[in-house]
Amino acid sequence: MSNTLGNHVLIQQTTCWSTVKNNQTKTVKDHAHPASITDISGRQKWKSLVTKEFLGSSLNTGGTKLSWQLPRGVYVVPRAVLATDPAFELAGKFNLDGNSQIQSGSNSFLRIVIDDPEISAIEFLVLDESQDIWFKDNGQNFRVLLSGNGVSSSDVSVPEDLVQIQAFLRWERKGRQTYTPDQQKAIPNVDAYSYVFQEEYEAARIELLEEMARGTSLEEVQTKLIEYTDESSKNAKEVLIPGCKIPDDLVQIQAYVRWEKAGKPNYSPDKQLLEFAEARGELQLELDKGTSLDEIRKKIIKGDVHTKVSRQLKAKRYFTPDRIQRKKRDITQFLNKFPSPMLEKSENKVADTLETPSGLELCSKAREEQDDGCILNKKLFRIDDKEILVLITNPLGKRKILVATDLNGPLTLHWGLSKRAGEWMAPPSNILPSGSVLLDMACQTTFTIDPFYGVQAVDIEVDEGDSVGIPFVLVAGDHWIKNNGSDFYIDFTHVIKKIDGDGRGAAKSVLDKIAQMESEAQKSLMHRFNIAADLIEKSKDDGELGLAGILVWMRFMATRQLTWNKNYNVKPREISKAQDRLTGLLQSTYKASPQYREILRMIMSTVGRGGEGDVGQRIRDEILVIQRSSDCKGGMMEEWHQKLHNNTSPDDVVICQALLDYINSDFDISSYWNTLESNGITKERLLSYDRAIHSEPNFRRDQKGNLLRDLGNYMRTLKAVHSGADLESAISTCMGYKSEGQGFMVGVRINPIKGLPSGFPELLQFIFDHVEDKDVEPLLEGLLEARIELRPLLSTSHDRLRDLIFLDIALDSTVRTAIERGYEDLNNATPQKILYFITLVLGNLALSSDDNEDLIYCLKGWNQALDMSTRKDDQWALYAKSCLDRARLALSSKADHYLDILQPSAEYLGSMLGVEQWAVDIFTEEIIRAGSAASLSVLLNRFDPILRKVAHLGSWQVISPVEVAGYVVTVDELVSVQNKSYEQPTILVARRVSGEEEIPGGTVAVLTPDMPDVLSHVSVRARNCKYCLSATMWVSLIPWGPQSHSLLAIGKGRPNFLGNEIKESELQDVKDDGSLPPLHLVKKHFGGTYAISAEDFTSEMVGAKSRNIAYLKGKVPSWVGIPTSVALPFGVFEKVLSNSSNQVVADKLKTLKKKLGEEDFGALNEIRKTVLELVAPPQLVQELKEKMQHSGMSWPGDEGTHRWEQAWMSIKKVWASKWNERAYFSTRKVKLDHEYLCMAVLVQEIISPDYAFVIHTTNPSSGDSSEIYAEVVKGLGETLVGAYPGRALSFVCKKNNLDSPKILGYPSKPIGLFIRQSIIFRSDSNGEDLEGYAGAGLYDSVPMDEEEKVVLDYSTDRLINDASFRKSILSSIARAGGAIEDLYGSPQDIEGVVKDGKIFVVQTRPQKYVLA
């Protein structure tokens, strides 16, 4: 590396230096230690200044980071440059022997770090080592002050972009000096365009430093320079460099091409200028190589790139991705309310709507049962609308063959045996069925009619031997019936896997039919599509599960788990016609059954578009065009041509792409194989085709242009048939196209779809132009807007509905790929950007879902959170966290639904068809991963920690903070182990906790990623019984896995809640606070009356729930309402059971209780059912009527007998809840005699509430008695205390300031329960508040009328939106809690409702086990 300094060439420069403290001077001697100057050699980075015309409104300037470089400034003005750290840049010049200078502040630099604050200057010399010459400053050391002197300041520096602008302005003021060709030749390897500025560069830096030293701020300097730049650029059209003039329009186009290749990122003004400089530099290099401007123009101006550039310049948004203008809409107009039926209902529907089995099906089933299911093979062949069944069984080592058919007329079976496929041998005479005629190489047997099944059949028995199969044909008079021109054949050696299970949860009849037809479907895709079309009608009758069966089958096909082609040649146009038929039927079903559109879209996504006429024939014809025009008639291309002619398939799209990638990679064969293998096509698969592909492509370089053009055109043809969901193909079909390319699409004209929304074609063009952009947000906006615009047409009887559906599927699929591409950009994104991103993805998911009410309301919540964030609302993160939790619940619900309807079908059909087990196991998972639900889940997981940090939420929600130690055991659901009892202290890690479960014996802690309410049953039980209960969204913090049996100590005082593993010897040192004292109940007896009023509520008659509500009456403040109540006291149930009218029920219960005592826990459900058979004694009816009417309550019977029957059934359900699993196992755990537990029934008027609440007057999580904790839900409180997912609104309120509630969390429960004015029957047991048992909440309260489930829209809820209303309601709830606690003098657990702003308390009980 050589550097020029004056007339010297410096092979290497060395600086000898020393530091100087204040008031010291030191001359550097020859023996000083050298330090090398760092040299930025080669080409200096520079930016090209671009005129106003390039950017529209102003000249923008940027930084200095470029990928191409210009020569160092030392070539232009001979200088050696020393620069200190930019924060200490100095403005001093030194002369070197009169004609050379050394100046601080240039880009050749020596970085010296000086830590000593006393050092005020640095002195140095410069050595030219090649000539051993020392340079000095007039005989003295060079000296640079570090602070306090000169124009330099330790805190002054000038950005490089401002230095460049100042240099440009200096150059302009001098008349834009240019250099002659002779001057350029004198300085080799220099780009003339750039070094004109270097003349002024260092002078510009000094000017700016001096100005800032005089007190001008950096901002003022910047403002002034930008103004000067704008003014000076008005008439500056180009940089005048003789011999190097490049038209601006070419620079613009080259810059645009570079930008497109980079993925169309958002460039800042600085970066825009750098891109223009890069582009000009690239074009200059081309000119330097001798390329003419015309050649460059032809090379870079392709397609509509010139139009795109013009459009960007017109919009003044160069290097910025276009954005569509999104319309403001009411998103509830996209709401679908087509809920899929419950699984049980679906199963019943399937059972009810099964068509009558055919005679062949009944015959086959009878033979399979007779031969004990030992099936070797089973095939069903189609002959027009008739079928031939061949069933081979192997009972007791003997092959039995049944050939049966529903063909009419006399038939003869012409058959033989074979040792290999295609061979005919006459069977041994000793195995011939009666009446058979033995021929030379075959045998003929007449079919006999089976009148029971209405079929004709032949039975054959063949001994075990060396024959491997049976070939046959049928003879009907003079007519030979064959299998599409070939012999029928069935293999002996194939063994059908025995099916596990009975297909429960699936449309078994549809799946059985599919399995029967699979051998026929394997012949070709034409056969498979036609069979699928035949099955569509049958599957529709079976509802969602029937269509799920079709989806599973087609998905197995699409993922290459099933054979696409087997010994059968079919023309592409026949495949296309079959596709057209199938997709046409799917389109009709989509139109007629909107509740199944989601699953129909999934089916269509596995099938290509197809089409009548020459759509498929083009595949055959156009490969010949490619071979002819590109001169590639042999080798791999001829093998592919033969495959295409005989059996085209979706693999051909991949093969075509692999060829394009191979050519584009400059014929790198590894690119060809990488593309194939990444799409599941191996060498073995290529060889497995009936027309195998043995060879690799081997093209000549002169073929490249033609092949890229022709294969690119051919890809459209392939996608038109095989890739209905391909975006390019779908857009082209909708927008219309006509003959393009010589020999391609000849005569083809696809008309544009009529009736598209205004501006829709432009919207699709926007999407197509930006589909590969790196910045995916504008693309996502466009995709979502297009789907919204398309939505009304998808709900009509449009004549091109199928094409619109495929377009919508393609748009949806593109959303998912765009999201995945955008993950990286979100790593450093603002929370607001991520929020907006989530709204786009959630909106897309809602558009793809049938029952999307919950998703729509989730989306409204996210939009509200985004608005709060924009307004800087300090609650935005807390509210967004509730939206995130609800969205997770929605995704979980969607995944569960897919699992319910798809996985049973995948397992049943997969086992029958021999699908690989791994493909069956992950079937539903892969379906979910293929949709935008999976993308949304990833986004939510990324956003969760951000929200938690902003909202000041920890990783754990500790519901019951108890310090414990135990062995870790993992379970999927807590409910699955609630009847267990662990012998060792156990920490249960449960994936799912609904809130209704009983905690099993021996458990000391429950950890879960689920979201139980703080006041749910399981939470209350945990605190009451001193179990540790904690939830975390960070599943990674929980020791998952079946092998997680480590011993842990956990608790509130440990880091991150979870402590380290401990040794068994340490376990005994952990205090066990969870032991329960022995419990005793006094059995209650019938008190002589069936019903009592509130004034008669005593401990002998009713439980604490009834007594407490009676005590409150008249004692609470007048603004707190107490509902009117009566009760059926203790002993009434036993009295009713002993009535002679219920003798049969009593006997049945006695038997069932005995079974229960033998630990047959299935008897619990039977007991509950039996209790519901009780008959009400007339005296009970009369007494209850009198008490209710006397108390001012409405008597149900006044509305009709049926209303009393409803009330009576509700009473019995309360009694029956004594035997619910949770309550029963709870009594067993504490060794409480279940027979001693008695149940009174509290009868209350239901106040149809706006909100329901639960109050704990001492904070249950912290034990803080100075604050009240409460939770509020919309509607009835059952969603709060029952097994309803999501969290309630929670808040705390200091007792000394009840008017200032503090929100802890916003609600995420998706469901609210609402009811008409009615009556509720509440359980009230004698174990309600038994010390050590805490029976509260174990038993059921049953309203007389059924609750209505409503999907909640919190964005319209005043409790969320109206801060003053929220404060009023929450403060009133807190004040009610404080008043009741004062009344009892102890912490209380209170339930109540809010109606029209008024507070009603429906029950209260002591708050158990308050933490110290």
Side-chain angles (χ1 to χ4, degrees), residues 253-293:
I253 292 172
Q254 179 67 8
Y256 185 89
V257 170
R258 287 173 49 82
W259 180 60
E260 277 199 320
K261 288 181 179 179
K264 296 182 181 178
N266 257 323
Y267 281 162
S268 65
D270 289 351
K271 181 60 176 172
Q272 292 176 28
L273 263 182
L274 302 186
E275 280 297 306
F276 280 114
E278 297 268 8
R280 190 179 292 276
E282 289 175 348
L283 295 178
Q284 185 64 52
L285 289 175
E286 287 293 314
L287 285 175
D288 292 345
K289 293 176 183 178
T291 309
S292 70
L293 283 176

Side-chain angles (χ1 to χ4, degrees), residues 971-974 989-993 1007-1010 1035 1040-1041:
V971 297
D972 188 54
E973 296 180 324
L974 182 59
V989 179
R991 286 187 183 274
R992 294 189 181 183
V993 176
L1007 310 180
T1008 179
D1010 219 329
V1035 180
W1040 288 113

Side-chain angles (χ1 to χ4, degrees), residues 870-913:
T870 304
R871 291 187 284 104
K872 308 297 183 184
D873 189 316
D874 59 4
Q875 294 282 298
W876 78 264
L878 199 60
Y879 181 70
K881 181 63 173 68
S882 71
C883 297
L884 186 146
D885 290 342
R886 180 171 182 175
R888 275 181 166 153
L889 289 172
L891 293 180
S892 177
S893 176
K894 194 170 190 65
D896 288 345
H897 179 66
Y898 279 168
L899 193 67
D900 288 341
I901 66 168
L902 296 179
Q903 197 60 31
S905 295
E907 292 171 359
Y908 185 74
L909 185 63
S911 63
M912 287 196 291
L913 301 185

Side-chain angles (χ1 to χ4, degrees), residues 804-871:
L804 294 173
I805 296 171
F806 273 121
L807 175 59
D808 191 53
I809 292 171
L811 294 169
D812 184 19
S813 177
T814 307
V815 169
R816 179 180 57 82
T817 56
I819 295 165
E820 292 172 354
R821 195 166 69 249
Y823 285 155
E824 183 178 349
D825 286 346
L826 294 179
N827 287 337
N828 299 311
T830 63
Q832 289 72 25
K833 182 179 177 66
I834 302 175
L835 263 171
Y836 182 60
F837 211 77
I838 288 173
T839 65
L840 295 175
V841 181
L842 184 55
N844 183 70
L845 180 62
L847 290 173
S848 303
S849 302
D850 288 339
D851 181 18
N852 68 0
E853 189 175 14
D854 189 19
L855 292 172
I856 289 291
Y857 293 151
C858 276
L859 178 56
K860 291 186 72 177
W862 279 106
N863 286 333
Q864 188 173 8
L866 180 59
D867 178 64
M868 292 171 66
S869 173
T870 304
R871 291 187 284 104

Side-chain angles (χ1 to χ4, degrees), residues 310-504:
S310 299
R311 190 164 60 238
Q312 286 238 332
L313 291 175
K314 183 177 180 181
K316 299 182 180 180
R317 297 187 62 171
Y318 210 82
F319 288 131
T320 302
D322 300 329
R323 296 190 92 111
I324 54 121
Q325 186 66 38
R326 297 190 68 192
K327 298 178 183 177
K328 291 186 177 181
R329 298 179 173 89
D330 177 9
I331 61 177
T332 56
Q333 65 182 293
F334 311 130
L335 192 147
N336 291 333
K337 297 194 74 168
F338 300 118
S340 299
M342 296 296 291
L343 186 59
E344 298 80 13
K345 293 181 181 178
S346 297
E347 292 176 357
N348 292 336
K349 177 175 174 59
V350 170
D352 294 340
T353 60
L354 291 180
E355 62 185 51
T356 304
S358 68
L360 284 177
E361 290 172 334
L362 292 171
C363 181
S364 173
K365 183 177 180 181
R367 181 58 58 86
E368 292 172 33
E369 292 175 352
Q370 177 184 325
D371 294 339
D372 198 28
C374 301
I375 304 171
L376 291 180
N377 207 342
K378 179 180 179 179
K379 279 192 175 183
L380 200 65
F381 300 96
R382 296 180 65 85
I383 308 295
D384 296 326
D385 61 341
K386 302 296 182 180
E387 297 173 327
I388 301 171
L389 168 72
V390 183
L391 177 68
I392 303 178
T393 55
N394 188 31
L396 303 176
K398 185 178 284 289
R399 297 189 188 117
K400 297 176 68 175
I401 305 165
L402 169 69
V403 183
T405 181
D406 57 0
L407 286 164
N408 299 320
L411 289 173
T412 299
L413 181 69
H414 183 89
W415 63 282
L417 298 177
S418 65
K419 292 184 179 180
R420 58 182 177 271
E423 181 184 54
W424 279 77
M425 299 188 308
S429 58
N430 64 325
I431 68 167
L432 301 183
S434 176
S436 297
V437 177
L438 191 63
L439 304 177
D440 184 24
M441 297 178 64
C443 174
Q444 289 191 342
T445 305
T446 303
F447 278 84
T448 59
I449 296 176
D450 186 331
F452 188 78
Y453 298 115
V455 299
Q456 300 188 71
V458 171
D459 281 296
I460 305 170
E461 288 192 9
V462 179
D463 293 330
E464 295 279 359
D466 54 3
S467 57
V468 297
I470 174 172
F472 68 92
V473 294
L474 273 61
V475 183
D478 296 332
H479 179 57
W480 290 77
I481 300 174
K482 292 193 171 187
N483 185 22
N484 294 301
S486 302
D487 298 335
F488 295 100
Y489 182 80
I490 188 164
D491 194 351
F492 291 158
T493 59
H494 177 76
V495 179
I496 292 181
K497 180 180 177 182
K498 186 174 180 180
I499 308 304
D500 296 327
D502 57 0
R504 186 173 180 82

Side-chain angles (χ1 to χ4, degrees), residues 973-1019:
E973 296 180 324
L974 182 59
V975 70
S976 66
V977 294
Q978 67 175 355
N979 63 335
K980 288 190 67 172
S981 183
Y982 295 97
E983 295 182 359
Q984 297 177 310
T986 299
I987 297 172
L988 275 181
V989 179
R991 286 187 183 274
R992 294 189 181 183
V993 176
S994 71
E996 280 285 274
E997 304 90 344
E998 179 64 23
I999 299 175
T1003 302
V1004 295
V1006 177
L1007 310 180
T1008 179
D1010 219 329
M1011 298 183 291
D1013 281 307
V1014 173
L1015 301 184
S1016 66
H1017 169 78
V1018 74
S1019 302

Side-chain angles (χ1 to χ4, degrees), residues 565-618:
N565 175 245
K566 191 173 184 180
N567 303 320
Y568 197 92
N569 296 332
V570 62
K571 298 174 182 177
R573 67 168 174 264
E574 293 171 337
I575 294 177
S576 181
K577 184 177 180 180
Q579 285 174 303
D580 185 70
R581 177 179 173 233
L582 173 57
T583 55
L585 285 168
L586 291 169
Q587 168 193 259
S588 299
T589 308
Y590 183 96
K591 190 187 311 179
S593 304
Q595 70 271 34
Y596 301 138
R597 285 178 177 172
E598 187 172 349
I599 202 165
L600 287 164
R601 285 162 50 88
M602 292 183 197
I603 297 172
M604 293 182 75
S605 69
T606 67
V607 184
R609 167 63 177 80
E612 285 279 10
D614 70 342
V615 176
Q617 184 61 28
R618 293 201 308 271

Side-chain angles (χ1 to χ4, degrees), residues 1198-1261:
D1198 289 344
E1199 301 177 49
T1201 305
H1202 70 286
R1203 293 291 286 164
W1204 159 246
E1205 290 298 331
Q1206 283 180 261
W1208 175 236
M1209 180 58 70
S1210 300
I1211 293 169
K1212 291 186 290 184
K1213 286 180 178 179
V1214 174
W1215 285 335
S1217 69
K1218 174 181 173 180
W1219 286 274
N1220 72 55
E1221 282 78 7
R1222 185 187 68 197
Y1224 180 77
F1225 294 128
S1226 179
T1227 59
R1228 279 170 53 91
K1229 187 167 64 175
V1230 296
K1231 299 180 176 60
L1232 186 66
D1233 190 337
H1234 194 259
E1235 285 299 306
Y1236 277 59
L1237 193 98
C1238 295
M1239 188 76 69
V1241 180
L1242 175 64
V1243 184
Q1244 286 182 325
E1245 289 180 322
I1246 285 184
I1247 297 147
S1248 182
D1250 301 319
Y1251 305 99
F1253 60 82
V1254 174
I1255 306 169
H1256 279 195
T1257 58
T1258 288
N1259 191 323
S1261 297

